[in-house]
Amino acid sequence: MIEMSLVLLFLLFLALLFILISLFFYLIVKKYQNNQLRQRINAMKDEYRLAVFHYLQNGESEFLGQDLGEEKVKALIELLSDYSHVLTGPEVEEKIHLFAKEHLSDFIKKELTKKRWSLRMNALFAIEDFYMEHLVPILHKLYGKRGTTLSEKAQILKLLAAFNDSKIVDYIKGIDQELSEFSLVSILSSMNDDKLDELFSCLDELPKRTQYILVEMIGKKQLTEHHSLLQKLVLQDETELRIRALKAYVNSGIPIDAAAIDGFFEEDNWQLRMMAARVAGMQRLDLYKDRLLTLLSDREYVVRAEAAKAILRFKEGEAILKKVTDESKDIFAKDMAVEWLEKGRGGYTY
């Protein structure tokens, strides 16, 4: 019985060894084939590099000939992608788009149906690089497909946003909440002002995370036409929206109604106190100099630091902090004043 068990174990070992050796040789052969394919594609890129450049300059495409095999198409896609990242201008973009539409569309459509995720993603990136807006109907189908991954959906939404597609606002309203914030920012940043305006007009219908990013974009993209929305958001009950609205005021330079932040200096939430100090400093609101002095004694270090930095933005800010170091009995206030006076004298940008 024991001998039989040993024989079975030995046979199992041989079978597993055979499988591992077979897999090893398969990977070696596959690696060799991939290396050979890469060498052939690189050789084609070298062969057609100058011809593609001339095409982008004067539109001559005789170099293509009749043979557009898969390897040649891959080489042309890589060449066009390289040039799309270094050559700019409407004429070049139009030539790239026309070339891709006429000669590469069938290949890219085929790649979008492949099982390998990497091939599908490369095809989506090519659509972006070559401005292939004519493939939008296919993008809609792919977005609604059950097996489409989250990263693919993010890239598709970015493309639809860049192409100013009519359905993009509806897609954003129902966006997958597992989508990363980085992807969401990238999608929203690709939208034109008209579509962004549509989103701002239905802000309450959007997921909270999308609302937060949109509000911050008012500041980052200097969307000063939405100042009335910021005024409204600052007065809302939701803390996070108020914080984001204050950040937008800081980044955009939109003048704020000074009375709107009056109550923030005593808020329990330290981020609101910090943002109130930042806004008061950035917009040099003389009304709040005394409140900033009070925040120098705040229990949170970042609030004290923001208050000191804000005070230094006023014309007489250095003198105010010097007075704190000489007269204040609060050790936190004195230490913070000393720290920011030293930063100011050292040419610190604040």
Side-chain angles (χ1 to χ4, degrees), residues 162-223:
F163 295 149
N164 197 28
D165 186 77
S166 60
K167 295 183 180 179
I168 185 62
V169 171
D170 290 330
Y171 283 145
I172 296 295
K173 288 181 181 179
I175 203 164
D176 193 323
Q177 290 306 294
E178 293 184 5
L179 201 69
S180 70
E181 184 164 326
F182 175 82
S183 296
L184 188 51
V185 170
S186 179
I187 293 164
L188 294 175
S189 299
S190 300
M191 298 177 72
N192 66 19
D193 290 345
D194 290 338
K195 290 300 180 187
L196 283 176
D197 288 344
E198 283 188 49
L199 286 177
F200 282 119
S201 67
C202 61
L203 192 68
D204 294 339
E205 301 174 36
L206 302 175
K208 285 296 181 185
R209 192 169 55 129
T210 307
Q211 291 184 30
Y212 301 153
I213 294 173
L214 274 172
V215 172
E216 280 201 29
M217 285 183 66
I218 294 176
K220 292 177 180 178
K221 297 189 73 171
Q222 305 288 304
L223 304 176

Side-chain angles (χ1 to χ4, degrees), residues 112 123-129 131-145 148 150-175 179 183-184 186-196 198-199:
L112 289 173
L124 291 173
F125 289 134
I127 291 173
E128 180 180 9
D129 289 341
Y131 326 105
M132 302 177 76
E133 190 174 355
H134 63 285
L135 296 182
V136 161
I138 293 176
L139 295 179
H140 284 300
K141 290 180 181 178
L142 187 58
Y143 186 81
K145 196 174 178 181
T148 302
L150 204 59
S151 53
E152 288 175 278
K153 286 186 176 183
Q155 181 62 17
I156 291 170
L157 288 177
K158 184 180 177 184
L159 288 169
L160 295 176
F163 295 149
N164 197 28
D165 186 77
S166 60
K167 295 183 180 179
I168 185 62
V169 171
D170 290 330
Y171 283 145
I172 296 295
K173 288 181 181 179
I175 203 164
L179 201 69
S183 296
L184 188 51
S186 179
I187 293 164
L188 294 175
S189 299
S190 300
M191 298 177 72
N192 66 19
D193 290 345
D194 290 338
K195 290 300 180 187
L196 283 176
E198 283 188 49
L199 286 177

Side-chain angles (χ1 to χ4, degrees), residues 99-138:
F99 185 95
K101 183 177 181 179
E102 183 175 354
H103 302 292
L104 307 178
S105 292
D106 289 342
F107 176 82
I108 289 175
K109 288 177 186 177
K110 185 179 176 182
E111 292 292 282
L112 289 173
T113 64
K114 294 290 182 66
K115 290 184 178 180
R116 281 178 57 188
W117 171 85
S118 60
L119 295 178
R120 299 196 305 270
M121 283 300 297
N122 285 338
L124 291 173
F125 289 134
I127 291 173
E128 180 180 9
D129 289 341
F130 308 150
Y131 326 105
M132 302 177 76
E133 190 174 355
H134 63 285
L135 296 182
V136 161
I138 293 176

Side-chain angles (χ1 to χ4, degrees), residues 196 199-201 203-204 211 214-215 218 223-236 241 245 249:
L196 283 176
L199 286 177
F200 282 119
S201 67
L203 192 68
D204 294 339
Q211 291 184 30
L214 274 172
V215 172
I218 294 176
L223 304 176
T224 56
E225 65 272 20
H226 295 293
H227 62 90
S228 58
L229 175 61
L230 291 183
Q231 290 176 348
K232 174 185 173 183
L233 294 176
V234 165
L235 300 176
Q236 283 199 357
L241 272 177
Y249 272 116

Side-chain angles (χ1 to χ4, degrees), residues 305-333:
E306 202 61 56
K309 183 165 61 171
I311 289 170
L312 273 180
R313 288 185 173 276
F314 292 97
K315 185 177 180 180
E316 66 280 20
E318 191 169 332
I320 294 173
L321 289 184
K322 183 66 171 61
K323 186 176 181 181
V324 171
T325 63
D326 294 337
E327 301 178 5
S328 178
K329 296 180 181 180
D330 186 288
I331 188 170
F332 291 121

